Amino acid sequence: MVVLNELLPESSSSSSTDDRSNFVYKYDVFLSFRGADTRHAFTDHLYNALTEAAGVMTFLDNEDIETGKPLKQELESAIKSSRLSRDNFGQIVFPVFYGVEPSDVRKQQSSFGEAMKMHKTRMEAEVNAEKRSEMARKMELRKNALKEVGNLSGWANINNR
């Protein structure tokens, strides 16, 4: 269990301000997940626990993205306006490894390795040199991001109880 007061420098109010940049956060948490298999189980339970039980302002894509707005722009805006999300914008990152081992993430093993192989196969099959180069760049970014998140302290070995 996480004690939110230890994670959040100030109250979990949506109008709280970060002393580092005097930025007013719209959300306390940007909840990111991958895969429909966690959507209606773990992710929904975590979202409900954060919002209803703890009163934490939490962004979840199906709840807060306005229809008709570009997805990428809306997600980036939500990330930037969240206190806990990812470190590109100075937020705290707290990964939850649900049904996966952090070492599989870090080393791109198991399903992560299979996904990277699939991306590599697609990249190698691309005949347009510019597109192939862009795909290679994105693969390297993904690889580095997986290594980084696999090395972060978080909750591991969480399974559906």
Side-chain angles (χ1 to χ4, degrees):
M1 178 177 207
V2 170
V3 178
L4 292 173
N5 290 344
E6 293 174 3
L7 289 178
L8 302 175
E10 300 180 340
S11 75
S12 63
S13 162
S14 62
S15 63
S16 61
T17 307
D18 184 349
D19 289 336
R20 290 172 292 166
S21 64
N22 293 325
F23 183 80
V24 176
Y25 291 97
K26 182 175 180 182
Y27 304 103
D28 294 314
V29 175
F30 176 86
L31 184 56
S32 177
F33 72 98
R34 192 66 147 157
D37 55 333
T38 66
R39 159 58 83 193
H40 298 294
F42 178 78
T43 304
D44 280 346
H45 293 301
L46 178 58
Y47 178 79
N48 289 332
L50 289 169
T51 58
E52 295 172 16
V56 176
M57 294 298 296
T58 305
F59 177 92
L60 183 63
D61 62 358
N62 72 336
E63 297 291 328
D64 296 323
I65 290 182
E66 294 180 35
T67 304
K69 285 206 170 189
L71 182 64
K72 185 176 181 177
Q73 177 186 355
E74 189 70 13
L75 286 176
E76 186 172 310
S77 175
I79 291 168
K80 286 180 179 178
S81 62
S82 299
R83 184 179 304 279
L84 294 168
S85 61
R86 68 183 196 202
D87 65 348
N88 289 33
F89 306 108
Q91 296 97 331
I92 300 165
V93 178
F94 194 81
V96 177
F97 298 99
Y98 179 78
V100 298
E101 293 294 323
S103 62
D104 287 345
V105 175
R106 181 175 50 256
K107 297 175 185 177
Q108 289 99 58
Q109 298 175 155
S110 189
S111 61
F112 294 91
E114 292 301 316
M116 291 302 282
K117 286 178 190 174
M118 181 186 69
H119 288 301
K120 184 177 182 180
T121 300
R122 286 182 186 164
M123 178 195 71
E124 291 171 343
E126 178 57 58
V127 293
N128 181 307
E130 193 173 306
K131 286 183 181 179
R132 189 172 49 252
S133 176
E134 179 63 15
M135 292 169 87
R137 185 186 71 76
K138 286 182 178 180
M139 278 187 58
E140 191 63 26
L141 289 172
R142 286 184 190 117
K143 182 178 175 181
N144 291 335
L146 289 171
K147 283 182 186 177
E148 187 177 343
V149 77
N151 282 320
L152 292 174
S153 294
W155 286 321
N157 303 318
I158 304 275
N159 48 33
N160 203 1
R161 298 174 198 196

